[in-house]
């Protein structure tokens, strides 16, 4: 039995999405086949519309549908703090925590020589320009390195630290420790070691 | 921070897909944002093209891009055997086994009162019509019930069995037993019981 060409094409395109293997792509394609035409048109329309409308913020490289993103144009935010993250999704995660009132800088990846991601492929140079051409002096900034705690995230963090220190920027790294709500016995030894080393005094 | 409207719309449409929750939808949307425009247009195009081209086979309700599917038009196949499955994906799975040379009938679901799927919502009536209006008499057919071994699949199988027996059709159910390559000790007791009950003599 030969599959219809349009089905093969749809399965191929779906399986290019991250986290969707050939089996899931096939299941998705058959699911879509069962849906009303309006639903498919709405999905296809949303894809094209998003690609047409969305762009990177000219200052922080977050996702936006304007020149500058909502965070960068918000006059209530602390312009001295810049939180550096890997992906636009990380901005949303940090915003949701409600603990940060500064600005962001999205690198769009992490340094990974194994995957051919060199520092030049990330938005690192614009961060340096941003710090140097800002109304505030570099030394009046705090740059918070909030890259992942993976090997790539750590390498990126270290790379940025070495690059920013000579500018006189105050650089910090988000804390390592136990995830909130986690049982201590399930924490791995590295996390536990870091959590102990980073302990904070609670009595005066 | 407000998300751009086109991003919200894309995340909403993606999270309607089966097995994709709000978090995966967000991750997918950001991934798509990073892709070149051609890739997005190809995906959207494949969706619309598949919806335009694909239809159900008039005879067996398999997915096809013509009136009748490749299996139904294949003159080399045994027209006396009809294998009843729940979904078009099941046809592909059975074809891949290479063990079946008859025709199919796709129900497009399984009876599930809990989810509001009554027998009338499945392609059961066309199966009866097909058996009665065929060049072969009903009693010359073997109908192989290859629905899932879930509660819904079993209910559907039992329902069909009761419906088909009065027509004089020979009805069979695919075998229950140990999956090939599985260790016996990992098999659940129901499967093991069925495997023992369905044992087959290997010496004469």
């Amino acid at each position: 039995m030969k599959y219809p060409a349009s089905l093969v094409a749809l399965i191929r395109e779906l399986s290019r999405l991250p986290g969707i293997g050939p089996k899931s792509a096939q299941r998705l394609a058959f699911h879509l086949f069962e849906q009303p035409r309006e639903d498919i048109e709405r999905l296809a329309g949303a894809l094209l519309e998003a690609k047409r409308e969305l762009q990177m913020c000219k200052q922080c490289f977050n996702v936006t549908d304007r020149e500058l993103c909502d965070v960068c144009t918000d006059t209530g935010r602390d312009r001295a703090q810049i939180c550096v993250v890997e992906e636009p999704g990380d901005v949303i995660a940090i915003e949701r925590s409600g603990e940060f009132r500064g600005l962001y800088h999205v690198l769009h990846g992490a340094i990974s020589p194994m995957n051919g991601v060199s520092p030049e492929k990330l938005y690192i140079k614009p961060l340096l320009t941003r710090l140097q051409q800002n109304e505030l002096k570099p030394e009046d900034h705090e740059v918070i390195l909030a890259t992942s705690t993976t090997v790539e995230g750590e390498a990126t963090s270290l790379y940025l630290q070495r690059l920013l220190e000579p500018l006189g920027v105050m650089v910090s790294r988000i804390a390592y420790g136990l995830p909130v709500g986690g049982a201590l016995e399930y924490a791995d030894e590295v996390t536990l070691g870091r959590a102990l080393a980073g302990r904070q005094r609670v009595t005066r």
Side-chain angles (χ1 to χ4, degrees), chain A residues 73-140:
Chain A
T73 51
D74 184 345
T75 51
R77 306 202 55 135
D78 183 355
R79 265 138 221 286
Q81 287 190 320
I82 298 180
C83 180
V84 178
V85 294
E86 290 176 20
E87 301 296 346
D90 301 336
V91 171
I92 289 169
I94 293 178
E95 283 297 285
R96 217 176 271 140
S97 79
E99 291 290 325
F100 184 65
R101 293 296 303 164
L103 304 182
Y104 291 94
H105 191 88
V106 183
L107 299 173
H108 288 270
I111 299 170
S112 174
M114 291 270 288
N115 299 310
V117 184
S118 59
E120 297 76 46
K121 297 209 171 155
L122 306 176
Y123 290 81
I124 292 177
K125 201 168 274 176
L127 173 62
L128 302 181
T129 317
R130 186 177 165 187
L131 286 163
Q132 283 161 330
Q133 296 184 347
N134 208 333
E135 58 220 32
L136 291 170
K137 280 176 283 185
E139 54 268 37
D140 292 333

Side-chain angles (χ1 to χ4, degrees), chain A residues 124-196:
Chain A
I124 292 177
K125 201 168 274 176
L127 173 62
L128 302 181
T129 317
R130 186 177 165 187
L131 286 163
Q132 283 161 330
Q133 296 184 347
N134 208 333
E135 58 220 32
L136 291 170
K137 280 176 283 185
E139 54 268 37
D140 292 333
H141 283 94
E142 179 187 1
V143 170
I144 302 167
L145 301 173
T147 54
S148 301
T149 56
T150 55
V151 175
E152 291 81 9
E154 290 296 346
T156 309
S157 174
L158 205 64
Y159 182 87
L160 286 173
Q161 184 186 325
R162 296 206 176 133
L163 217 57
L164 296 171
E165 265 175 349
L167 300 180
V169 178
M170 179 179 148
V171 183
S172 58
R173 177 85 170 111
I174 47 159
Y176 304 93
L178 292 184
V180 177
L184 192 124
E185 62 170 328
Y186 292 128
D188 64 283
E189 61 273 25
V190 183
T191 300
L192 214 47
R194 295 286 199 130
L196 280 168

Side-chain angles (χ1 to χ4, degrees), chain A residues 14-87:
Chain A
L14 289 171
S15 62
R16 293 164 66 105
L17 299 174
I20 297 183
K23 272 251 166 159
S24 311
Q26 188 183 297
R27 209 167 46 87
L28 271 179
F30 284 125
H31 166 86
L32 290 166
F33 169 70
E34 309 269 353
Q35 302 314 302
R37 176 182 296 271
E38 309 85 75
D39 285 23
I40 306 302
E41 283 169 355
R42 209 163 48 233
L43 172 58
L47 282 162
L48 296 170
E49 170 84 4
K51 194 64 202 172
R52 195 162 46 230
E53 292 294 321
L54 297 179
Q55 51 180 300
M56 283 191 229
C57 169
K58 293 280 173 292
Q59 178 167 264
C60 76
F61 303 94
N62 187 10
V63 178
T64 176
D65 51 6
R66 273 163 297 175
E67 280 268 297
L68 290 169
C69 75
D70 274 16
V71 178
C72 285
T73 51
D74 184 345
T75 51
R77 306 202 55 135
D78 183 355
R79 265 138 221 286
Q81 287 190 320
I82 298 180
C83 180
V84 178
V85 294
E86 290 176 20
E87 301 296 346

